[in-house]
Amino acid sequence: MDIPEMTPSPMRDLGFGIRCIDTLQVRPQMAACYLIERGNDLAFVEAGTSLGVPHLMALLEQLGLARDRVRYVIPTHVHLDHAGGAGALMRELPNAKLVVHPRGARHMVDPTQLIAGATAVYGAEAMARMYGEILPVDESRVIAPADGESLPFGDAALQFIDTPGHARHHFSVWDAQSRGFFTGDTFGLSYREFDSPAGAFVMPTTTPVQFEPDAWRQTLDRYLSFAPQRMFLTHYSVVEDVTRLANDLRAGLARYELIATELAHSQDRHERLLRALTEDVLTAVHAHGSALGDAEIRAVLDADLELNAQGLGVWLDRRAR
């Protein structure tokens, strides 16, 4: 896969040797990956899609960082907005190991099922447009850490914590230096458009097919047991005020369960779920103090709300069996 010349991805320095990089998916500030620099070691947390890889390589060049310094590529889970570009990224980084949840490792080595599942949902043309080419990773370059395992990085380590709730193939990365977790999707969505004088706004993401609210609540408990000072979200960037946001996320999960349960036997269940989730988030964003109007809020969240409705439907069907 030849990498053409590209402009670097937009980047923000967050301190602690951590840079937040916009992976340029769909719209600005929708999805991030993180470049961590400690000593001579570099790591990418999240891989984005293969369409964004040229921009990541251009950013390394702009920063004067040699590709062979990248020690790890770390997708938090194997949903394609997080891991679709892993194979393409690994091809550009000769010394890197791919670090992935044990439940997701086989899908990185052989992405056939990932490709087939997403193609069935989106169609081949949309798949190519959104995700580009999804390449396999050689098994010899894959590390699948156990829950709680640490890997050396710079003069310290990164620790990997099993964090189900959004997906069973999801881990989070604890970085003691920043006192922060790289949370993938298990600390929800917090788009910067919804920041207000009250701070950040957070909501669940119940993307199909492994939404498990009880497991998610246990994950939140585990996060807080580390007394984190910040969370590095994929959607989008760093948030603080962690305890308040964890409580807001718990409240959102409870509302989602109630909405889904009340609509479980509706004939037009998906449409009613989508309407109810839309009403819920409009109410919540306005209560948070956002100055955006309903149309602006929906423009940011329509795709996420559609996926959340689908995921709640799958959860209801699984619970009924």
Side-chain angles (χ1 to χ4, degrees):
M1 182 178 182
D2 295 327
I3 298 295
E5 289 190 14
M6 283 279 179
T7 57
S9 293
M11 181 271 293
R12 178 186 169 204
D13 192 329
L14 302 177
F16 310 102
I18 299 169
R19 297 175 174 96
C20 177
I21 304 168
D22 194 331
T23 57
L24 301 170
Q25 297 180 46
V26 183
R27 61 177 178 82
Q29 297 192 92
M30 195 280 284
C33 73
Y34 294 90
L35 179 64
I36 315 175
E37 182 177 12
R38 301 281 164 76
N40 194 52
D41 286 345
L42 300 171
F44 282 106
V45 179
E46 308 293 32
T49 73
S50 62
L51 301 173
V53 169
H55 300 283
L56 298 180
M57 295 302 97
L59 180 63
L60 286 182
E61 184 173 352
Q62 181 187 64
L63 295 171
L65 301 174
R67 298 182 185 192
D68 61 8
R69 289 178 56 191
V70 179
R71 187 168 185 174
Y72 304 121
V73 172
I74 309 170
T76 58
H77 58 302
V78 301
H79 289 164
L80 294 181
D81 54 331
H82 300 256
L89 189 54
M90 290 290 289
R91 281 198 176 185
E92 301 303 315
L93 304 172
N95 294 335
K97 295 287 189 179
L98 183 76
V99 186
V100 63
H101 192 285
R103 289 179 179 267
R106 64 187 179 91
H107 295 294
M108 296 287 90
V109 174
D110 179 6
T112 304
Q113 284 185 305
L114 288 180
I115 296 168
T119 301
V121 173
Y122 299 112
E125 184 178 338
M127 266 287 293
R129 184 175 65 253
M130 291 189 296
Y131 300 115
E133 188 178 9
I134 299 169
L135 301 176
V137 178
D138 190 281
E139 190 170 10
S140 66
R141 300 183 67 190
V142 175
I143 300 172
D147 181 30
E149 185 175 347
S150 295
L151 294 177
F153 186 64
D155 59 358
L158 298 172
Q159 187 177 10
F160 297 84
I161 305 298
D162 186 31
T163 50
H166 173 77
R168 294 175 193 164
H169 49 83
H170 196 301
F171 59 36
S172 297
V173 186
W174 172 246
D175 173 43
Q177 181 167 321
S178 67
R179 300 298 302 173
F181 273 106
F182 296 87
T183 63
D185 284 349
T186 319
F187 206 69
L189 306 172
S190 182
Y191 293 127
R192 304 282 56 82
E193 288 92 337
F194 303 138
D195 289 354
S196 78
F201 172 83
V202 70
M203 61 180 281
T205 172
T206 60
T207 307
V209 293
Q210 292 177 346
F211 169 59
E212 294 173 315
D214 289 338
W216 199 328
R217 282 183 278 267
Q218 292 171 16
T219 287
L220 292 175
D221 289 341
R222 196 166 185 199
Y223 279 149
L224 294 180
S225 74
F226 283 72
Q229 295 179 10
R230 52 194 53 85
M231 304 297 235
F232 300 98
L233 278 62
T234 304
H235 310 286
Y236 180 84
S237 196
V238 65
V239 297
E240 299 181 350
D241 199 5
V242 175
T243 300
R244 175 184 68 82
L245 291 171
N247 289 334
D248 289 351
L249 194 52
R250 289 181 196 278
L253 290 168
R255 294 197 308 274
Y256 274 32
E257 285 186 273
L258 181 61
I259 287 169
T261 301
E262 289 180 343
L263 298 176
H265 303 294
S266 302
Q267 286 190 333
D268 54 347
R269 188 181 70 186
H270 177 76
E271 290 74 16
R272 294 190 65 184
L273 281 170
L274 183 57
R275 286 198 299 271
L277 293 178
T278 301
E279 291 170 5
D280 177 82
V281 79
L282 291 174
T283 299
V285 170
H286 290 311
H288 183 67
S290 171
L292 297 181
D294 288 1
E296 294 169 301
I297 296 168
R298 293 190 60 163
V300 174
L301 290 177
D302 271 352
D304 292 308
L305 292 169
E306 169 65 28
L307 289 172
N308 279 0
Q310 291 180 21
L312 289 178
V314 172
W315 175 67
L316 286 170
D317 289 342
R318 187 171 62 243
R319 200 174 63 158
R321 287 198 289 268

